Amino acid sequence: MSKAEILIVDDDTSFLEYTAQFLRLRGYGVRTLDSADQLLVKLGTAGCPSVILLDIMFPGVHGLEVLGELRKAYSSVPVIMLSAVGQAKSVVEAMRMGAFDYLTKPFEEQELELAIEDVLQQKSLNDVKGSSRQAPRKGDSGDFMSLSPKMAQVKNVARQVAATDVPVLMLGESGVGKEVLARFIHVHSGRADKPFIKVNCAALPNDLLESELFGYERGAFTGAMAEKPGKFELADKGTILLDEIGEMSPHLQAKLLHVLQDGEYMRLGGRRPMRADARVLAATNRKLSDAVSKGQFREDLYYRLDVISIEIPPLRERPQDIPLLCRLFIEKYADKYESAVQQLPADLMDAFVRYEWPGNIRELENAVRRFLILPDRAATLKVLTPARVEVPAAPEKLALKKVSTESAAQAEKEMDPRPLS
C-alpha cells in the first residue's frame, strides 16, 4: 500500500535528490521543486501533496513569503520548514504563521521520519473530524466525542476555562485522552490561531528537556553550533502542553515556576531574559498532591498549576463511549489498512463494552486496529478474556488484570510506540 505524497521544495539539488531517494525507499510518493516561484501554480495543476517540506531561503524570495501564500491558498496542507543554522528568528516566525514543524539542516533521517509521521497523524485526526457522522460545529474538536455524563461535565468545564489564560492541570490515567482535552481547550481559546506545542517531560533526559523548553544560545555547551529557539518561544501567543509534568526534575520545576510567576525565562547560555507569552496546560497520570507531600514535586509550583484541575475518568467508568470510539477508529484506519470491516461483530462489541480497559482509549484504539488488520474474533476475544472472567478471589483477580495490562503494553509497543496522553 502506498504511503502519503511528500513535496520537497529546496534550491539545493543534492539535498533534493538525497531526501527524495530516502523518502521513496520508505514508501512515500515524492515530488520535488528546486524553485519556489512556480509552487502555487504547480499545486493548482498537479494537486496538493500530503505534506510540504519547504526551505526557508531561496534566491530572490524568502521562504516565509512562500509560506504566507501557501497558508492563504492551501491552508489545509501542512508545511514543515527546513532551516539552516542561525535562522532561529525566521523559524519562530514560521511557527507563528502556521508551519506545523521545522527541521534544522543537517538533520538525522529519523528526525525527518518522525516529523512527517507526526504531521500525517494529526492530518488523519482532522480528516476523521471532517468525515464524522456527527459533524462538529466550526471550531469544535470533533475527536472529543462522548455520550458519558461524566465526560459532558469535563467538556463543559473545559469550554468555560478555555476563554481564560489561567493554567489548567489535567489529571487521569494513561491513555484517557488528556492531549485531546488540551487541544480542545486550545481550539476554544483566544489563541486558537496560534501554535499548539506539546512537550513530553518524560521522554527526554533533564538536560535535554531544559534546552528543549527554553532553547539555547550558540556556544552554550559543546555541540551548540548555533542558537536554537525553545518550545516556549515557538509557542509564543499560543498554547504549550507540558505532558507528564510529574516527571520533571526539581531544577526544571524551579525554572517553570519562574516562567509562571514572572513571565520570563533565560535561554541556556543567554544573557538577557525573554518574555513568555504562552498559555500553560499541564498533564499527568500521577497524583501530584501525594508527590508534593513526599517532597517529589514543588508545592508552590503545584498551586500555580492547579488553578483549574480537570480529572478525566477512565474508560471503564464510561462504557457507553466504547461503541462511539470504535466507530471513530474504524473510520480512521479502515482505508489505511485496506480493511473491509465496517463494524465490529456484536459479540466482540459486547466483550469490548464489558472489558475494563486498563490501557484506556489507547488500548481500545490498538484493539480496533488489530481487528482491522487481522479480523479474527477468537484471537481478539482471547486477548480480552482474562479481564472479563468473573474471579471470586481478590488476589487471583489482580493477577489476571496484570496479564491483561502486559498484553496491552505489548500491543502498544508493536503498533504505536510513541506515548499518548
Side-chain angles (χ1 to χ4, degrees):
M1 177 176 57
S2 63
K3 288 189 177 182
E5 184 175 58
I6 315 297
L7 173 61
I8 313 171
V9 189
D10 198 302
D11 61 333
D12 184 340
T13 54
S14 60
F15 172 83
L16 272 183
E17 292 172 1
Y18 177 83
T19 309
Q21 182 182 19
F22 168 74
L23 291 176
R24 288 188 181 110
L25 289 173
R26 293 299 184 276
Y28 292 102
V30 180
R31 285 189 274 157
T32 61
L33 278 177
D34 59 7
S35 169
D37 296 339
Q38 299 297 313
L39 176 57
L40 296 181
V41 176
K42 291 285 187 183
L43 291 179
T45 57
C48 293
S50 305
V51 183
I52 296 176
L53 304 181
L54 176 65
D55 193 25
I56 213 163
M57 289 296 294
F58 291 92
V61 62
H62 200 290
L64 293 181
E65 297 177 32
V66 181
L67 176 63
E69 294 299 319
L70 278 173
R71 297 300 298 164
K72 290 178 185 176
Y74 300 97
S75 60
S76 63
V77 181
V79 178
I80 298 174
M81 300 301 294
L82 307 174
S83 72
V85 295
Q87 295 176 331
K89 291 182 179 178
S90 295
V91 166
V92 172
E93 183 60 26
M95 297 296 288
R96 289 174 181 166
M97 292 172 63
F100 185 90
D101 203 348
Y102 76 95
L103 294 170
T104 302
K105 299 176 182 176
F107 47 77
E108 298 291 332
E109 294 173 346
Q110 186 181 16
E111 290 182 79
L112 176 61
E113 280 194 280
L114 288 174
I116 292 175
E117 286 174 6
D118 285 345
V119 172
L120 294 176
Q121 184 181 43
Q122 186 57 42
K123 193 171 185 292
S124 175
L125 284 174
N126 292 339
D127 290 344
V128 170
K129 288 193 292 183
S131 64
S132 177
R133 294 179 195 176
Q134 293 181 323
R137 295 185 298 270
K138 184 178 180 181
D140 208 347
S141 179
D143 48 314
F144 190 0
M145 303 168 70
S146 177
L147 299 174
S148 161
K150 290 184 178 181
M151 288 303 292
Q153 185 176 4
V154 166
K155 191 171 183 177
N156 183 49
V157 173
R159 197 185 292 275
Q160 290 182 59
V161 303
T164 70
D165 263 350
V166 297
V168 178
L169 180 61
M170 291 164 292
L171 307 170
E173 299 176 6
S174 276
V176 294
K178 295 186 288 293
E179 183 181 346
V180 172
L181 179 62
R183 291 185 183 276
F184 180 88
I185 292 172
H186 173 69
V187 164
H188 288 80
S189 73
R191 300 172 180 261
D193 59 340
K194 302 301 180 182
F196 176 91
I197 303 293
K198 174 192 171 185
V199 182
N200 190 321
C201 300
L204 294 171
N206 289 323
D207 52 347
L208 291 181
L209 179 59
E210 184 174 6
S211 65
E212 187 76 3
L213 285 172
F214 305 113
Y216 54 79
E217 300 288 351
R218 180 178 180 180
F221 51 84
T222 303
M225 305 302 294
E227 64 176 3
K228 179 184 177 181
K231 298 300 187 183
F232 270 100
E233 195 170 346
L234 296 176
D236 186 51
K237 295 182 173 58
T239 303
I240 186 167
L241 169 62
L242 303 177
D243 196 13
E244 303 295 351
I245 196 169
E247 309 305 319
M248 185 177 282
S249 70
H251 167 68
L252 286 183
Q253 290 177 32
K255 294 196 73 168
L256 177 59
L257 179 65
H258 178 60
V259 173
L260 293 173
Q261 285 180 336
D262 304 323
E264 291 183 345
Y265 64 94
M266 295 275 285
R267 281 182 175 180
L268 272 68
R271 297 182 180 179
R272 59 182 179 84
M274 303 187 70
R275 295 296 301 171
D277 182 10
R279 203 257 184 90
V280 175
L281 305 177
T284 181
N285 57 12
R286 297 181 63 186
K287 194 170 183 179
L288 284 190
S289 56
D290 288 349
V292 169
S293 63
K294 294 176 182 177
Q296 299 170 346
F297 199 85
R298 291 181 65 111
E299 185 176 24
D300 46 5
L301 177 58
Y302 172 68
Y303 288 117
R304 280 281 177 178
L305 293 171
D306 195 34
V307 177
I308 299 291
S309 63
I310 303 176
E311 184 158 5
I312 306 177
L315 190 56
R316 62 182 172 273
E317 294 181 10
R318 43 188 173 112
Q320 62 269 58
D321 283 348
I322 291 172
L324 183 67
L325 290 167
C326 287
R327 190 186 74 197
L328 176 70
F329 295 140
I330 290 172
E331 290 177 356
K332 178 179 177 180
Y333 293 114
D335 288 342
K336 179 178 180 180
Y337 297 139
E338 297 182 337
S339 174
V341 174
Q342 296 182 351
Q343 61 182 17
L344 298 183
D347 58 340
L348 186 57
M349 180 63 76
D350 179 62
F352 276 19
V353 170
R354 290 189 288 144
Y355 182 53
E356 292 190 355
W357 298 108
N360 291 291
I361 297 174
R362 174 173 29 190
E363 186 185 2
L364 173 64
E365 181 176 10
N366 281 331
V368 174
R369 292 169 67 185
R370 182 189 300 114
F371 187 78
L372 290 174
I373 297 168
L374 300 171
D376 185 331
R377 287 184 292 181
T380 305
L381 286 169
K382 186 177 180 181
V383 175
L384 305 184
T385 296
R388 64 186 181 91
V389 170
E390 186 176 350
V391 182
E396 199 173 345
K397 186 175 182 181
L398 289 173
L400 289 169
K401 281 189 176 181
K402 182 177 180 182
V403 172
S404 174
T405 304
E406 290 173 352
S407 299
Q410 179 63 26
E412 290 169 14
K413 183 178 178 182
E414 293 175 357
M415 304 186 71
D416 197 355
R418 291 174 298 176
L420 173 66
S421 290

